[in-house]
Amino acid sequence: MTTITSASTTTTGTMTTPAGATTPTGATPDPSAGTHPSAARRVTGGAAGATVVPPARRATAGGAGLASATESARAAESASATAPPGEPATAPGTGISAAAPGIPSATPATPTTSATEAPSSIPSAPPTSPAPTGPASATPHDPCTHGFLPERPPVRSMIGTWTRLDAMARAAAVAPDREAAVALVERARRAGELSALRQRVSRLSLRNAEAAAMRIAVIAVSCGWCGLDPQAPAARDVADEAFLDLWAAIAHRIDHDQFVALPTLALHNWVPERKPRRHIPIDQLARTEVLVPIVRWAPEGQPLSRLDRLMLAATRLEAHGIWLFRLAETLAGRSPDDSSTPTALRRLVRVQHALRAQLLAEATDLTAAPATPQQRAVLGALAEQGALEPPVLQAAEAVLGIGGRRMGEGRRQLLRRHLPAQHRAWLSAMDRHCAPVRTLAHRGGPDAAVYREAQESLIALRRTYTALVQAAARPAAPPLPAAA
């Protein structure tokens, strides 16, 4: 049996002899031991000399190789002499007790490595807080922070080989018709640009992959391919095969198949006209700064088109709708009889009125903007696919239940397919958690009247947005004849 003695304390523990027998004993820590010079430990017994111990007990604290029991004892003495009171003696650069396996530390709070582990199992780096693994490691999306806007402003311009995709998207957006846009894609395929981009998709960060997805969406709608599934065999009879491969690779990288829609074309296609002087939340940035599109649907040097202004209006609508997301979280799980429920519904009415006023203010500039037949064709194709739904309106309908009753559950899920998975999950959670509040639709009294007012304000908001889309798709007014 090996015994550790000290001038101020006697520390014993569970010892492992070379033969493998164990002897459990108690431990009596002394707070003063470890700071006073007399606290240096003397190792006596079988571990005092150069006795060779089994390999399982010769592991050093850093895992660098084998050591004798004498080296382990010297490390324990050095660490014990410098450690502050009440803290275990640890070797520099490791989180493992400096005492060799089989020599227990005086402080039981610090875990030690078992004497039966191989030296290679001892970590050589300082341990940090354990990172969660598996599905639990994914941070859930919190729309209360910035709604369904991206966490950071979109990438203004891509670099490296991806500048080719940037240039292709800008050229396709201003193409006079679909045939010209398709010709751009075929020219890129013959030059080998699409296959070169396809090989580099896995190297993209998530933020750059979302920027690439926006440019892919611009090209797809310009060519009339917005309703295609890039992995469907029938799509190869319509669209360029190399472009479909790049499209499918980007969709796999961002884990979103149906991204060719307004959430991608609008919420990832804007930047502030001037760089803000300080860091501000992205929803405040989109509300307070003048926004310009990254990929313009109008040629450079010309005024923004109606399609440009519609996409920017959808972005600002999302930024102003951040309060709607927060009220949705407030109403989730509340009882209809809760005193806070009518208060939150009244605030929801005020937010929806403010969003409607925002859209009405956008309508004046949008109606006066120029429009081309190609841009109106893009809008028509997106509307036909149900790809022009603003996420903030879908959030309001999930709370108040209008969408489920008016268009049916299947149609509502069809509209949500254009959102990322975490956004769809949040909307489905609102469907469930706000079900008690929706029972006010079948009641009477002042609380039920407030609920119906919230529904009516949402219907008015949706009609205003529909009118804005129709104004953007309307043919441009012919120029006035010159005066004689």
Side-chain angles (χ1 to χ4, degrees):
M1 173 179 177
T2 304
T3 306
I4 303 176
T5 62
S6 173
S8 59
T9 181
T10 300
T11 306
T12 58
T14 301
M15 308 303 299
T16 304
T17 63
T22 59
T23 305
T25 58
T28 307
D30 186 355
S32 64
T35 57
H36 196 275
S38 64
R41 307 178 189 179
R42 291 184 296 106
V43 180
T44 61
T51 305
V52 178
V53 295
R57 296 180 55 196
R58 283 186 281 161
T60 60
L66 302 179
S68 65
T70 303
E71 296 171 349
S72 301
R74 290 173 181 171
E77 292 175 359
S78 174
S80 176
T82 58
E87 292 188 4
T90 56
T94 68
I96 306 172
S97 175
I103 304 179
S105 172
T107 305
T110 303
T112 59
T113 306
S114 172
T116 59
E117 293 179 358
S120 60
S121 65
I122 303 178
S124 59
T128 57
S129 57
T133 58
S137 63
T139 303
H141 179 74
D142 184 12
C144 293
T145 306
H146 48 72
F148 284 174
L149 291 170
E151 294 184 4
R152 297 171 58 190
V155 177
R156 184 186 293 266
S157 58
M158 307 195 74
I159 61 175
T161 310
W162 293 97
T163 56
R164 305 174 186 176
L165 181 65
D166 211 344
M168 194 190 315
R170 297 175 192 275
V174 297
D177 49 34
R178 292 180 176 178
E179 289 73 17
V182 173
L184 290 170
V185 175
E186 293 177 351
R187 190 180 307 121
R189 189 250 310 159
R190 290 193 298 268
E193 296 178 358
L194 297 178
S195 59
L197 294 174
R198 168 65 184 86
Q199 297 172 2
R200 290 167 171 79
V201 170
S202 60
R203 308 176 192 175
L204 287 174
S205 65
L206 181 59
R207 183 166 178 254
N208 284 316
E210 290 174 344
M214 184 272 290
R215 288 152 175 84
I216 290 289
V218 169
I219 298 172
V221 296
S222 299
C223 297
W225 299 335
C226 63
L228 296 182
D229 180 0
Q231 296 182 346
R236 303 187 180 274
D237 299 333
V238 179
D240 184 86
E241 184 174 352
F243 180 77
L244 290 176
D245 291 339
L246 176 60
W247 182 352
I250 291 291
H252 177 73
R253 180 67 184 87
I254 65 175
D255 193 21
H256 186 196
D257 295 332
Q258 305 290 333
F259 65 83
V260 182
L262 180 135
T264 299
L265 291 168
L267 305 187
H268 293 273
N269 189 22
W270 64 273
V271 288
E273 188 176 31
R274 61 179 181 84
K275 185 176 181 180
R277 297 181 180 178
R278 59 185 179 87
H279 175 73
I280 58 177
I282 190 169
D283 58 289
Q284 182 180 349
L285 181 69
R287 285 195 306 267
T288 58
E289 297 292 331
V290 177
L291 306 183
V292 294
I294 298 174
V295 177
R296 292 168 51 104
W297 294 95
E300 291 289 340
Q302 296 187 12
L304 294 178
S305 66
R306 291 182 184 176
L307 186 53
D308 287 317
R309 294 192 176 276
L310 177 65
M311 296 300 171
L312 293 178
T315 300
R316 280 188 285 264
L317 181 71
E318 204 70 23
H320 284 274
I322 181 65
W323 308 110
L324 191 148
F325 287 96
R326 294 169 182 172
L327 287 172
E329 291 281 359
T330 300
L331 289 169
R334 293 296 176 93
S335 168
D337 300 322
D338 195 315
S339 60
S340 63
T341 298
T343 302
L345 288 173
R346 292 187 188 96
R347 292 175 179 173
L348 185 62
V349 170
R350 291 198 295 269
V351 169
Q352 291 175 160
H353 284 325
L355 295 180
R356 184 167 179 263
Q358 173 69 26
L359 290 179
L360 292 174
E362 303 274 2
T364 303
D365 292 337
L366 184 143
T367 305
T372 65
Q374 168 68 355
Q375 295 165 5
R376 291 189 286 110
V378 167
L379 270 177
L382 290 173
E384 183 180 354
Q385 295 295 324
L388 288 176
E389 289 290 315
V392 66
L393 296 188
Q394 298 187 49
E397 290 181 347
V399 174
L400 299 175
I402 295 179
R405 187 179 70 248
R406 181 172 55 85
M407 65 182 65
E409 182 64 24
R411 175 64 175 169
R412 181 169 56 175
Q413 296 301 328
L414 191 65
L415 296 177
R416 291 180 181 177
R417 75 187 190 278
H418 298 299
L419 295 173
Q422 65 269 25
H423 297 173
R424 296 197 304 269
W426 186 87
L427 291 175
S428 298
M430 287 299 104
D431 287 336
R432 298 190 304 270
H433 298 327
C434 293
V437 176
R438 291 196 293 270
T439 60
L440 288 172
H442 312 290
R443 296 188 181 186
D447 294 350
V450 174
Y451 177 80
R452 282 188 285 271
E453 183 182 0
Q455 287 185 319
E456 292 169 0
S457 66
L458 175 57
I459 293 172
L461 174 61
R462 171 163 288 284
R463 287 176 178 172
T464 304
Y465 176 76
T466 302
L468 192 69
V469 173
Q470 292 173 351
R474 191 176 302 122
L480 297 175

